Amino acid sequence: MITESQKDLVKATVPVLRESGVALTSYFYNRMLTNNPDLKETFNMGHQRSGAQAQALAGAVLAYAENIDDPSVLAPVIELIAHKHVSLNIQAPDYNIVGENLLHSISEVLKISMDDPLIEAWGVAYGQLADVFINAEKALYEQHQQTKGSWLGWRQFKIAKKDVESEEITSFYLAPVDGGDLPKYEAGQYISVRVFVEDLGLKQPRQYTLSNSPQSDYLRISVKREDEKGELAGGWVSSTLHSLPEGAEIEVSAPTGNFFLIDPNKRNVFISGGVGLTPMVAMLNQLITQDMPQPVTFIHACRSGLVHAMKKHIQAHQAKFPRLSTFTAYEFPQPSDVLGQDYDVAGRLDLASMDNALLPQDADYYLCGPMPFMAEQQKALIARGIPVENIHSEAFGTGGVKLS
């Protein structure tokens, strides 16, 4: 149990963490991965090189220090990260490795002895936080064990089919090599995939939202090709996936995540930007299987029709279900878009100017896309009087990026 004096020591590091937290966590990751090179196949090296991983951890460490008196306020973040850890098969012993390297990093960066009371205080604080994560993840692992068709760790899948959705996005239909059952997951959840990256000589993981409602014989992800390797998170994994032929095998973790359709019997509004439409399509498909019990609004923003994935899929649903309303914003419409009249507005999405019928007060709202996009849409919804508790966002980590 952490003492009040130890809490005070941890809180005293808050100014340092605000000023130099990223430098500390960058040092920590370099130390840990140097001492434990096998972990390079657990952590996404693209996030390491871009600094996204260090930024996310720095934010989490700072939040814990600031809320050491009442860590319960961090429950939503802990739940989010626990799902990420389970998708990467993080186990309890891994926390010992992280703790040892974190404490030594604090000692070495701050130039204080490992016997200093501050290191002891952070050791106790870290131990308590690790126990919280271990217990949360244990419950998720047990849930997977009790779910028919689910599994623990990595399972071999083959790419059964590739379907080009736009100039940038391709859907991958993944079938289990063992031919076994697949679990019933929640529309909006994600999987981790792990592939061998030639440039690194390593297996690399990346998390991708499942872009369809549960199917009996395949999982589907729709992946944006990101050719910049290292600077943009996922570049190595996405470019490797796009280069693989049908029939190639990859490793996949079981579906997980805490962003999913909450109430199919309520009015729902889906707002997405770019490849953020993938969980929205999965949720819409789930509602289609239930004959769409309530009206749905599907709002999407992207650069142009050239990169608008699954457009025909949505249009086909709209033709069949009058309760489905759509609205599309193309920031830079192409001549073919103008001729086809395939969008509603040119320019950035502006919820303030939209018809009230498309944005009802009593609906649940789901947002997914780049962090600035989601922040802008949430602000606009609140300005329209939508209760904040009715707005649900797909957060890709504490810093707005996937933690893998």
Side-chain angles (χ1 to χ4, degrees):
M1 179 68 71
I2 192 168
T3 66
E4 290 302 318
S5 61
Q6 288 173 328
K7 288 182 182 179
D8 290 339
L9 285 170
V10 170
K11 287 186 284 188
T13 62
V14 166
V16 176
L17 294 173
R18 285 178 180 157
E19 181 71 24
S20 306
V22 175
L24 171 63
T25 53
S26 297
Y27 182 94
F28 154 74
Y29 277 120
N30 182 64
R31 187 186 199 282
M32 182 176 68
L33 295 176
T34 299
N35 293 335
N36 304 271
D38 55 308
L39 289 179
K40 290 180 179 179
E41 294 195 341
T42 299
F43 292 90
N44 185 295
M45 292 298 103
H47 289 143
Q48 290 294 318
R49 294 199 179 188
S50 70
Q53 188 83 62
Q55 268 190 321
L57 180 61
V61 171
L62 174 60
Y64 183 54
E66 290 176 325
N67 294 280
I68 191 72
D69 288 321
D70 183 17
S72 65
V73 302
L74 301 177
V77 174
I78 289 170
E79 181 186 10
L80 172 74
I81 297 175
H83 280 277
K84 308 292 184 188
H85 286 178
V86 168
S87 80
L88 294 169
N89 198 33
I90 301 293
Q91 299 293 328
D94 296 325
Y95 283 92
N96 295 330
I97 298 173
V98 171
E100 177 186 355
N101 283 279
L102 180 61
L103 295 180
H104 277 280
S105 296
I106 295 172
S107 168
E108 292 161 16
V109 170
L110 298 185
K111 296 181 171 56
I112 59 177
S113 167
M114 285 294 291
D115 295 326
D116 192 284
L118 176 62
I119 300 300
E120 181 183 3
W122 263 107
V124 176
Y126 173 80
Q128 289 193 174
L129 182 61
D131 286 342
V132 171
F133 275 111
I134 289 168
N135 289 331
E137 289 155 21
K138 180 182 177 183
L140 292 174
Y141 283 124
E142 290 175 349
Q143 182 178 325
H144 283 297
Q145 287 179 307
Q146 295 165 7
T147 300
K148 182 183 177 183
S150 193
W151 65 96
L152 303 180
W154 300 102
R155 184 177 176 186
Q156 289 293 120
F157 277 68
K158 66 179 178 181
I159 300 174
K161 184 175 74 167
K162 293 171 66 174
D163 191 5
V164 176
E165 304 283 5
S166 75
E167 284 194 348
E168 296 178 335
I169 297 172
T170 293
S171 287
F172 295 78
Y173 291 73
L174 309 176
V177 172
D178 59 24
D181 292 335
L182 292 175
K184 293 287 187 182
Y185 57 86
E186 299 287 350
Q189 291 189 306
Y190 58 85
I191 57 174
S192 286
V193 303
R194 193 164 67 167
V195 298
F196 183 79
V197 176
E198 293 277 358
D199 290 352
L200 299 174
L202 295 169
K203 292 180 180 179
Q204 283 289 275
R206 181 91 199 276
Q207 289 147 354
Y208 294 103
T209 300
L210 291 157
S211 60
N212 201 358
S213 53
Q215 304 296 315
S216 61
D217 55 350
Y218 69 85
L219 302 174
R220 188 181 75 178
I221 55 175
S222 301
V223 180
K224 179 182 178 182
R225 185 183 64 252
E226 297 172 352
D227 293 326
E228 295 87 345
K229 302 170 185 177
E231 294 303 316
L232 289 179
W236 274 307
V237 178
S238 75
S239 60
T240 298
L241 274 174
H242 277 262
S243 72
L244 292 175
E246 292 181 355
E249 293 187 11
I250 63 174
E251 295 177 314
V252 176
S253 69
T256 192
N258 61 349
F259 178 74
F260 50 80
L261 188 66
I262 297 170
D263 187 355
N265 294 310
K266 189 174 181 180
R267 295 194 67 174
N268 290 289
V269 178
F270 305 126
I271 304 174
S272 57
V275 75
L277 92 166
T278 54
M280 309 310 188
V281 171
M283 293 180 192
L284 177 63
N285 288 352
Q286 177 180 324
L287 292 172
I288 294 299
T289 65
Q290 298 172 324
D291 290 328
M292 197 172 291
Q294 293 292 332
V296 173
T297 302
F298 196 101
I299 299 170
H300 183 60
C302 60
R303 296 196 308 278
S304 73
L306 297 176
V307 295
H308 187 173
M310 304 178 189
K311 176 173 63 177
K312 291 182 179 179
H313 177 78
I314 303 301
Q315 290 173 338
H317 283 326
Q318 186 178 25
K320 186 176 179 180
F321 293 91
R323 284 184 164 184
L324 174 60
S325 300
T326 65
F327 188 92
T328 304
Y330 286 167
E331 189 169 5
F332 306 108
Q334 300 299 298
S336 58
D337 300 326
V338 177
L339 289 173
Q341 298 182 326
D342 282 341
Y343 63 99
D344 295 284
V345 65
R348 296 176 64 85
L349 179 64
D350 179 15
L351 297 183
S353 64
M354 288 181 59
D355 193 303
N356 289 335
L358 295 175
L359 301 172
Q361 293 288 314
D362 59 346
D364 273 336
Y365 285 77
Y366 295 86
L367 309 178
C368 190
M371 286 297 290
F373 172 86
M374 290 194 294
E376 182 180 348
Q377 308 319 317
Q378 175 152 330
K379 182 179 179 181
L381 290 174
I382 292 172
R384 292 182 67 109
I386 305 301
V388 67
E389 60 269 20
N390 288 4
I391 304 172
H392 315 284
S393 300
E394 168 64 307
F396 288 89
T398 55
V401 295
K402 293 279 190 187
L403 296 177
S404 59

